[in-house]
Amino acid sequence: MFVLSILLLIAAVVLFFIGRGRDAGGWRIGAALSVVGAVLAGVFACVHVVSAYEVGVPVTFGKIGKPLNSGVQFRSPFTEVTSFSTRPVDLNLYDKDVVEVRSSQGGVLYADVTIKWAVIPAKAVELYRLAGSEEAVEERLVLPDSREIIRNVFAKHTSEEGYASAREQIGSEIAALVKERLAPRGIDVTVVNLRNVKPSDKLQDQIDKKIQQEQDTERAVEAARTAKAEAERKRIEAEGIARANEILAKSLSDKVLYNQCLEAYKEAAAANPVYAVPCGTGANGTSVIVDSSKN
């Protein structure tokens, strides 16, 4: 636009002198219109509109100026303005962009991560110095730094922690480190979502074998525990029977047995008035004749 203004101004001067030499009004009118066009082109060359949700970084002869907020901005016609969008952007690291990481044990895992980031308007100048353009921000800063941090965090944890027990903790660590790394560079990271962690095929085979071994060990331990409990139950039962027999043997003398035998056969007297009771005392005990009619 500024070049057009200069050309129109030159054209106005040329038309003016041609019209002056020929004393023709048409040439002078053309010169006047060229001057008006040159002024308008010059004005437009000094005006720059920063769109909503954008911030501009002006550069004049290699010198970086202060950030330009959204709206109409006046600048030198020699100033070039580089715009950065301040809208949130999603960086999706999955499918072909999935992050391959290694645990502290050397196991290979694949991490699906989504990072939501946006340009900080007040730090657009620092971002311009580092990246140079809006397209280069993600490629040069967000993507490589995020991948590096994700790998470093997973390297501090075991494979089991990476895909199962400590996923939430790992996600929090990644979010904190990514924000800490990118904030000074003019990038505000609002969300870091560790969506999924998948073991490699080799690691999955190792996990399955370990689970199978643990299950076999648990079954063996349970079987041993059951056998031990059963043996203890039988031992206690045997000891109880032995003590009972011992007590019974001490309490049953010949006289006691003789009396119990008599009492038992007395109860049968109602049906058999006179009968012989095979009870006696000692090894040579004789039978006793019971006459129930004399009770």
Side-chain angles (χ1 to χ4, degrees):
M1 190 64 72
F2 180 69
V3 174
L4 177 62
S5 175
I6 297 298
L7 293 176
L8 289 174
L9 187 60
I10 293 173
V13 173
V14 171
L15 290 174
F16 176 76
F17 281 106
I18 293 176
R20 183 180 179 183
R22 297 183 179 183
D23 195 21
W27 292 98
R28 294 179 181 178
I29 293 174
L33 293 176
S34 296
V35 170
V36 174
V39 172
L40 293 175
V43 171
F44 282 113
C46 295
V47 174
H48 181 80
V49 178
V50 180
S51 302
Y53 301 102
E54 285 188 353
V55 60
V57 178
V59 180
T60 306
F61 298 118
K63 184 179 180 180
I64 302 175
K66 295 181 180 180
L68 303 177
N69 296 324
S70 58
V72 178
Q73 304 288 343
F74 292 94
R75 60 181 176 87
S76 166
F78 303 102
T79 299
E80 180 180 355
V81 178
T82 301
S83 298
F84 293 89
S85 174
T86 57
R87 294 178 184 272
V89 179
D90 286 341
L91 172 61
N92 296 311
L93 301 176
Y94 59 89
D95 290 338
K96 62 184 181 65
D97 295 323
V98 66
V99 184
E100 180 179 322
V101 300
R102 289 186 178 272
S103 67
S104 60
Q105 301 167 321
V108 178
L109 302 166
Y110 299 102
D112 294 347
V113 184
T114 296
I115 299 174
K116 186 180 291 292
W117 62 275
V119 172
I120 301 175
K123 295 185 177 181
V125 172
E126 288 81 354
L127 194 60
Y128 176 81
R129 289 193 177 101
L130 292 171
S133 66
E134 180 179 0
E135 293 76 14
V137 173
E138 182 172 291
E139 181 180 354
R140 295 182 181 178
L141 300 178
V142 181
L143 178 59
D145 286 7
S146 299
R147 284 183 173 272
E148 177 188 350
I149 291 172
I150 292 170
R151 292 191 178 101
N152 291 341
V153 171
F154 271 95
K156 296 187 296 183
H157 295 269
T158 64
S159 300
E160 191 275 335
E161 291 174 342
Y163 67 82
S165 62
R167 277 184 55 180
E168 184 175 350
Q169 176 186 348
I170 291 174
S172 299
E173 291 180 17
I174 293 173
L177 292 175
V178 170
K179 292 178 181 179
E180 182 181 354
R181 174 80 66 86
L182 296 180
R185 301 181 179 184
I187 300 172
D188 179 30
V189 177
T190 56
V191 177
V192 176
N193 182 16
L194 182 59
R195 302 171 56 190
N196 187 34
V197 180
K198 180 183 177 181
S200 63
D201 294 340
K202 182 178 179 180
L203 180 58
Q204 186 63 55
D205 291 340
Q206 296 174 353
I207 293 170
D208 294 339
K209 290 180 181 178
K210 182 180 179 181
I211 293 175
Q212 184 63 41
Q213 290 174 353
E214 291 177 350
Q215 291 176 347
D216 293 342
T217 301
E218 290 177 358
R219 283 194 291 266
V221 171
E222 182 63 26
R225 186 184 298 113
T226 302
K228 183 178 179 180
E230 181 65 18
E232 182 67 15
R233 185 191 67 79
K234 290 182 178 179
R235 183 186 65 82
I236 295 173
E237 181 180 0
E239 290 179 352
I241 293 173
R243 284 196 298 268
N245 290 337
E246 182 181 356
I247 294 172
L248 183 62
K250 291 180 180 180
S251 62
L252 294 179
S253 63
D254 291 341
K255 185 175 180 59
V256 171
L257 292 174
Y258 176 75
N259 291 332
Q260 289 182 348
C261 183
L262 289 178
E263 292 296 329
Y265 279 94
K266 281 181 179 180
E267 295 178 358
N272 301 288
V274 179
Y275 57 90
V277 179
C279 296
T281 58
N284 298 320
T286 58
S287 300
V288 178
I289 304 300
V290 179
D291 186 358
S292 60
S293 61
K294 297 180 178 181
N295 287 343

